């Protein structure tokens, strides 16, 4: 039986219209909140929430008006939301490697999804950076960066680890079932444990709560990585009923109920932060690892990329443009929106600057977003952004963005999971004029194509892993 004490029933959550109305009444959606000038009395805690296979626009404030996600919306109302935020990769393992190392996944040694062997031990992680500054560190949830002695969470700077090492599990049996034979995948600090029948995200909230209680008097970092809305879609029956009554179609109803189930657990996690009196001392970041899945196991869809082309596995916008929010009450703007370009590798230097923590390595690709977060007119810190998926020696599939221009090579269009299309060769788009990347401008703008091709070639020549 699941522990119901940490849950809030869907009936207690507000609808999108009710939530926005009440938030506005409370003054939460002001453009820029007053900034506190005094330095914090302690280094802030950090909670990085990294969701799994969430669509580009699958957040009510981004554009999906059919979703109930009151808790994440409340987080956005108390923080800053991004509209051009990019994942490091359209695939799970590389995206996580980029976020935790601040390096492009190719340079971090994880250009593809991994198995037993994963993130090289010589890579410097966010957990190691904060741990060196006196933080207690915890991984809670999905890992998918390797399970051997070099790449497991405890070897990568985490004092405490609870969750699954592979890409996905059943939420109740905790079995990985991608390929046979099926195998159990639930571990605490490297030791297999059994919690048969207990909902995985409930266990996550419980473990995170206990960790916060144990370290409430010192700064802590929690990498909170739920297995949702990644398949198998296992939303609570109550949420399935909500979406059935709302007339949601298949498979959107299954995906949406799992996403609202996730939102409810995020609410429980943040309620624990509040109960410990730590909200004003805690930076909370929310980001999806890549776009929604259109795989067969995901019922060929359910998520939404809105106006964007592509989904998970695709370097078109729908695979890499993701929801992202940062909140730190009284220290960064509240109810604000940033339309500048930002990237998942940016979290490491951003967190380090906000926490007053020195970087252990300056050889990273991320750039601090602190100035941009605090000033709407501050430009993006990036001249270029790069993506790469595949084998480092083969050239793989790649993309580069420079200003409004984006060049892709051998891109996959995964918008329709039943009919995945490979767009061979070079595809050039102007995202300001064509955010849906429908028109290939490679022939009509050869000078721009050459500029971006040279930018990619120069980057790729030096992007091989250096450690």
């Amino acid at each position: 039986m699941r522990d119901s004490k940490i849950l809030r029933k869907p009936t207690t959550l507000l609808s999108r219209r009710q939530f926005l109305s009440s938030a506005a009444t409370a003054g939460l959606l002001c453009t820029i909140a007053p900034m506190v000038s005094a330095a914090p009395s302690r280094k802030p805690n950090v909670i990085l929430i990294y969701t799994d296979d969430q669509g580009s626009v699958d957040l009510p404030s981004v554009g999906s008006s059919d979703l109930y996600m009151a808790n994440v919306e409340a987080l956005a109302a108390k923080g800053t939301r991004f509209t051009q935020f990019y994942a490091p990769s359209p695939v799970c393992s590389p995206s996580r490697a980029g976020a935790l190392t601040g390096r492009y996944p190719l340079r971090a040694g994880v250009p593809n999804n991994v198995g037993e062997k994963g993130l090289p031990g010589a890579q410097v992680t966010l957990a190691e950076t904060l741990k060196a500054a006196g933080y207690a560190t915890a991984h809670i949830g999905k890992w998918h960066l390797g399970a051997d002695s070099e790449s497991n969470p405890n070897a990568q700077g985490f004092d405490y680890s609870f969750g699954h090492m592979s890409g996905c599990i059943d939420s109740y049996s905790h079995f990985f079932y991608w390929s046979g034979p099926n195998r159990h995948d639930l571990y605490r600090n490297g030791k297999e444990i059994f919690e048969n029948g207990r909902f995985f995200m409930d266990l996550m909230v419980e473990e995170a709560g206990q960790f916060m209680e144990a370290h409430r008097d010192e700064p802590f970092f929690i990498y909170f990585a739920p297995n949702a809305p990644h398949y198998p879609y296992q939303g609570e029956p109550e949420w399935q009923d909500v979406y059935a009554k709302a007339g949601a179609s298949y498979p959107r109803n299954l995906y949406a109920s799992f996403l609202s189930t996730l939102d409810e657990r995020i609410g429980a996690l943040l309620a624990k932060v509040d109960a410990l009196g730590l909200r004003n001392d805690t930076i909370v970041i929310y980001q999806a690892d890549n776009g929604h899945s259109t795989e067969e196991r995901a019922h060929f869809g359910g998520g939404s990329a809105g106006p964007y082309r592509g989904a998970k596995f695709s370097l078109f916008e729908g695979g890499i443009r993701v929801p992202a929010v940062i909140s730190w009450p009284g220290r960064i703007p509240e109810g604000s929106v940033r339309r500048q370009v930002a990237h998942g590798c940016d979290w490491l230097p951003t967190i380090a600057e906000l926490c007053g923590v020195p970087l252990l390595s300056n050889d990273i690709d991320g750039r601090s977003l602190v100035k941009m977060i605090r000033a709407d007119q501050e430009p993006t810190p990036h001249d270029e952004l790069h993506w790469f998926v595949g084998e480092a020696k083969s050239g793989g599939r790649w993309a580069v963005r420079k200003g409004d221009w984006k060049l892709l090579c051998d891109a996959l269009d995964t918008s329709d999971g039943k009919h995945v299309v490979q767009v061979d060769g070079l595809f050039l788009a102007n995202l300001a004029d064509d955010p849906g990347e429908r028109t290939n401008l490679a022939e009509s703008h050869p000078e721009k194509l050459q500029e971006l091709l040279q930018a990619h070639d120069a980057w790729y020549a030096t992007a091989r892993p250096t450690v």
Side-chain angles (χ1 to χ4, degrees):
M1 180 178 294
R2 286 177 285 162
D3 186 349
S4 62
K5 292 185 290 184
I6 62 172
L7 304 183
R8 289 187 295 169
K9 292 300 179 184
T11 54
T12 67
L13 296 178
L14 301 178
S15 69
R16 178 173 182 263
R17 179 175 296 176
Q18 291 170 325
F19 168 71
L20 293 176
S21 175
S22 62
T25 301
L28 296 180
L29 298 181
C30 55
T31 303
I32 298 290
M35 302 295 293
V36 177
S37 58
S41 59
R42 52 171 279 173
K43 291 187 182 300
N45 309 309
V46 180
I47 299 176
L48 173 57
I49 301 171
Y50 217 68
T51 68
D52 202 356
D53 291 6
Q54 183 176 351
S56 300
V57 300
D58 281 331
L59 199 62
S61 56
V62 175
S64 291
S65 59
D66 61 331
L67 294 175
Y68 298 92
M69 297 187 67
N71 295 295
V72 178
E73 288 291 276
L75 185 68
K78 293 291 291 182
T80 298
R81 176 174 61 79
F82 300 86
T83 65
Q84 289 197 84
F85 197 97
Y86 286 98
S89 172
V91 191
C92 295
S93 296
S95 178
R96 292 156 198 274
L100 289 178
T101 66
R103 307 180 91 189
Y104 289 125
L106 179 59
R107 296 191 65 226
V110 187
N112 298 300
N113 276 340
V114 302
E116 183 75 10
K117 184 175 178 60
L119 185 65
Q123 296 292 335
V124 179
T125 68
L126 175 57
E128 289 171 312
T129 300
L130 293 176
K131 184 175 180 177
Y135 277 70
T137 58
H139 149 256
I140 306 290
K142 174 175 174 174
W143 181 241
H144 205 192
L145 284 171
D148 64 8
S149 60
E150 181 180 355
S151 54
N152 72 73
N154 296 119
Q156 292 287 353
F158 289 98
D159 300 315
Y160 188 83
S161 171
F162 168 83
H164 60 98
M165 300 296 104
S166 60
C168 58
I169 58 170
D170 175 82
S171 291
Y172 297 95
S173 69
H174 316 129
F175 268 70
F176 172 72
Y177 64 95
W178 176 263
S179 58
N182 293 346
R183 58 183 174 83
H184 183 260
D185 186 5
L186 187 63
Y187 293 86
R188 182 183 290 117
N189 294 323
K191 181 179 179 180
E192 187 175 15
I193 62 170
F194 294 87
E195 293 284 357
N196 296 343
R198 296 195 64 196
F199 190 56
F200 180 63
M201 283 192 285
D202 286 352
L203 292 171
M204 285 183 61
V205 173
E206 184 178 293
E207 294 274 337
Q210 292 171 355
F211 185 83
M212 287 189 284
E213 285 184 356
H215 299 282
R216 63 189 301 175
D217 295 325
E218 60 183 316
F220 59 75
F221 165 54
I222 299 177
Y223 171 51
F224 190 85
N227 61 330
H230 193 293
Y231 56 82
Y233 297 154
Q234 294 176 303
E236 287 218 300
E238 295 92 340
W239 279 116
Q240 294 180 28
D241 290 343
V242 167
Y243 286 103
K245 293 176 181 177
S249 60
Y250 167 85
R252 180 69 168 176
N253 60 328
L254 302 179
Y255 170 92
S257 64
F258 202 24
L259 196 53
S260 290
T261 299
L262 164 64
D263 177 78
E264 198 170 33
R265 272 59 187 187
I266 291 173
L269 174 73
L270 298 180
K272 183 66 175 181
V273 176
D274 290 336
L276 293 172
L278 297 175
R279 180 61 75 96
N280 290 340
D281 294 317
T282 303
I283 300 167
V284 180
I285 295 168
Y286 178 98
Q287 186 207 314
D289 66 343
N290 46 247
H292 68 286
S293 174
T294 57
E295 298 163 82
E296 183 176 8
R297 290 175 174 83
H299 303 262
F300 295 109
S304 176
Y308 308 119
R309 186 177 185 179
K312 181 181 180 181
F313 300 116
S314 176
L315 288 172
F316 286 115
E317 294 289 281
I320 54 177
R321 190 184 288 215
V322 294
V325 172
I326 182 171
S327 173
W328 186 12
R331 303 299 302 178
I332 66 172
E334 299 183 8
S336 296
V337 177
R338 295 292 177 266
R339 295 175 172 83
Q340 302 93 317
V341 171
H343 189 270
C345 289
D346 296 335
W347 289 132
L348 191 154
T350 300
I351 290 169
E353 182 173 346
L354 289 174
C355 296
V357 169
L359 295 174
L360 297 183
S361 171
N362 290 311
D363 186 16
I364 61 175
D365 301 298
R367 298 291 180 263
S368 175
L369 301 175
V370 172
K371 289 183 179 179
M372 195 181 86
I373 291 169
R374 287 179 167 161
D376 185 39
Q377 300 305 314
E378 184 73 19
T380 175
H382 295 284
D383 294 324
E384 301 173 2
L385 287 177
H386 296 269
W387 295 268
F388 180 95
V389 179
E391 296 299 326
K393 295 181 179 180
S394 68
R397 292 182 285 114
W398 55 265
V400 55
R401 176 171 177 173
K402 189 173 184 180
D404 290 330
W405 291 89
K406 181 180 170 188
L407 181 65
L408 303 91
C409 179
D410 293 340
L412 289 179
D413 185 349
T414 54
S415 303
D416 181 352
K418 294 181 180 180
H419 303 95
V420 175
V421 176
Q422 177 158 320
V423 182
D424 294 324
L426 298 174
F427 188 102
L428 179 68
N430 184 302
L431 296 176
D433 299 331
D434 181 22
E437 297 170 294
R438 305 298 174 185
T439 303
N440 189 352
L441 302 176
E443 291 187 4
S444 59
H445 290 76
E447 74 294 338
K448 187 59 67 173
L449 184 147
Q450 286 301 317
E451 178 186 343
L452 269 67
L453 184 58
Q454 290 173 10
H456 165 76
D457 288 345
W459 171 79
Y460 184 67
T462 61
R464 303 287 176 85
T466 58
V467 292

